[in-house]
Amino acid sequence: QVQLVESGGGLVQAGGSLRLSCSASGSSIRTAAVAWFRQPRGEEREFVACFARTGGYTYYAESVQGRFTISRDNAKNTVFLQMNGLKPEDTAVYYCALGQRVITSALRSPAAYDYWGQGTQVTVSS
């Protein structure tokens, strides 16, 4: 059974940084697509960043490009999201997701992912 556990959320002032972690069990992150999504209160879940299943390719939402960095530690089966230059509009619950059969064209779609973590709250104050 695949489980994903996020950590690292919190309250930070605008311009600050946070690093989120997603620890996976039951599936190797090296052979799956692993993504971060976020969901602001009252809004739909949106794509943030991901690793594709193969090649180590990374993709980012335009809104976070240049500020956020996705990385991974294969030995620990953990994916990270380093968030710098945080803005109030980054406030949301952040979710880690894993998909074992996600094709490139579907990487930004929540429906393509099989497993989800419980989410971690990120709040950016102005």
Side-chain angles (χ1 to χ4, degrees):
Q1 184 175 349
V2 178
Q3 289 189 317
L4 304 173
V5 179
E6 302 104 332
S7 61
L11 173 64
V12 64
Q13 290 188 331
S17 299
L18 284 174
R19 188 174 84 152
L20 305 183
S21 299
C22 172
S23 179
S25 61
S27 178
S28 172
I29 61 172
R30 290 176 294 177
T31 57
V34 183
W36 289 97
F37 288 82
R38 66 186 182 187
Q39 188 166 17
R41 181 174 296 184
E43 299 184 29
E44 292 187 353
R45 197 165 296 189
E46 63 182 21
F47 171 79
V48 176
C50 75
F51 275 103
R53 277 194 306 118
T54 59
Y57 296 107
T58 58
Y59 299 85
Y60 294 91
E62 187 174 335
S63 60
V64 307
Q65 184 80 46
R67 298 188 298 123
F68 291 10
T69 302
I70 190 170
S71 63
R72 63 189 179 187
D73 184 333
N74 291 332
K76 296 182 179 180
N77 216 34
T78 299
V79 175
F80 304 98
L81 185 68
Q82 178 66 44
M83 305 185 295
N84 299 328
L86 282 161
K87 305 175 181 180
E89 51 263 44
D90 294 319
T91 295
V93 178
Y94 283 71
Y95 295 91
C96 177
L98 184 147
Q100 295 169 327
R101 292 171 295 276
V102 185
I103 60 175
T104 301
S105 60
L107 283 169
R108 298 169 188 265
S109 172
Y113 293 83
D114 306 303
Y115 304 99
W116 293 82
Q118 81 286 353
T120 185
Q121 176 70 46
V122 171
T123 303
V124 184
S125 63
S126 57

